[in-house]
Amino acid sequence: MQDLSLHVLDVIENSVRAGCKNLWIKIEVDVLKNKLQICVKDDGSGMSDDLILEAQNPFFTTKSKRKKKVGLGIPLFKQNAEVCDGKLTIKSEINKGTELVAFFSYNHIDRMPIGKIGDTFLGSIIGHTEVDFHIELIRKENSSKKEFILDTCDIKKELGDVPINYPDVITFIDEMIKEGIKNTYMEEV
């Protein structure tokens, strides 16, 4: 993985495969505390304690053995967090969902850039219209706090019968995400 947005995309795809209807994604940067936190929470099928441990093993996958022999997404995410004086935790409950939280030292020299997180959000929203995305970006710096919230459930209510992946709606959401990222200084390349 070249940046953190790709890790987020991988976790989103895992959540969708687990049958989630809601996905909460929160990325928080606290410059004074030198902390970057990424949290992805879903209401999917959840995992047992044994499966949580297995998911962190690079030689384990729940996908068909013919398609993929290993599952590197979560183990690499965990490794990248640990290299940056952080950690990755997973909490899950069967039939209730899963929460993955990754912590990083924000200014660590080995921390990957956040990357094109806007592209990750937009692609996921239009690619998984059956899921409601609740996205929150927070940046704390000095005494200021910048925040961006996007909730596709609210957008869908406003749209009525118009699909969320309708071209004009995609353009609107893309602009909204770009503005939120700009205001929170979140995207890095």
Side-chain angles (χ1 to χ4, degrees):
M1 306 263 180
Q2 296 175 347
D3 58 50
L4 296 175
S5 71
L6 295 176
H7 283 299
V8 172
L9 178 61
D10 181 64
V11 177
I12 289 170
E13 293 301 317
N14 288 344
S15 294
V16 170
R17 277 193 300 277
C20 76
K21 296 295 176 207
N22 288 279
L23 251 169
W24 294 269
I25 303 164
K26 181 178 180 181
I27 301 176
E28 184 173 355
V29 172
D30 190 325
V31 176
L32 291 177
K33 292 182 179 176
N34 189 32
K35 180 179 90 169
L36 166 64
Q37 175 182 311
I38 299 172
C39 177
V40 181
K41 182 179 175 182
D42 69 47
D43 62 357
S45 60
M47 296 187 285
S48 66
D49 291 342
D50 290 340
L51 190 54
I52 290 171
L53 290 174
E54 288 290 338
Q56 297 175 64
N57 175 350
F59 302 105
F60 173 80
T61 184
T62 58
K63 298 175 190 105
S64 168
K65 298 292 183 195
R66 292 175 306 185
K67 294 181 183 176
K68 195 171 180 184
K69 294 183 181 177
V70 295
L72 295 174
I74 291 174
L76 283 175
F77 202 5
K78 181 179 180 180
Q79 177 185 343
N80 286 327
E82 290 172 350
V83 163
C84 299
D85 301 326
K87 66 180 180 176
L88 182 138
T89 61
I90 302 172
K91 295 177 189 172
S92 190
E93 194 172 335
I94 299 293
N95 298 322
K96 297 219 175 162
T98 301
E99 179 181 50
L100 180 144
V101 182
F103 298 93
F104 300 83
S105 288
Y106 181 68
N107 69 358
H108 197 284
I109 193 167
D110 292 323
R111 182 186 58 82
M112 299 171 125
I114 293 172
K116 299 286 188 180
I117 196 69
D119 291 347
T120 294
F121 292 153
L122 184 65
S124 297
I125 289 167
I126 64 176
H128 300 294
T129 59
E130 73 284 6
V131 176
D132 285 324
F133 287 84
H134 314 273
I135 298 169
E136 188 174 4
L137 304 177
I138 300 170
R139 183 181 189 90
K140 298 175 184 172
E141 194 166 12
N142 302 322
S143 61
S144 69
K145 178 180 175 183
K146 307 272 187 192
E147 188 171 21
F148 166 71
I149 297 173
L150 180 132
D151 192 323
T152 61
C153 187
D154 293 340
I155 294 171
K156 288 174 183 177
K157 284 179 189 172
E158 285 291 320
L159 291 172
D161 292 335
V162 178
I164 198 162
N165 57 358
Y166 186 76
D168 289 342
V169 176
I170 292 170
T171 301
F172 170 76
I173 293 171
D174 186 35
E175 289 170 2
M176 185 188 246
I177 291 171
K178 285 177 181 171
E179 186 68 22
I181 287 170
K182 179 182 171 188
N183 290 338
T184 56
Y185 314 106
M186 201 57 68
E187 199 160 70
E188 305 167 329
V189 287

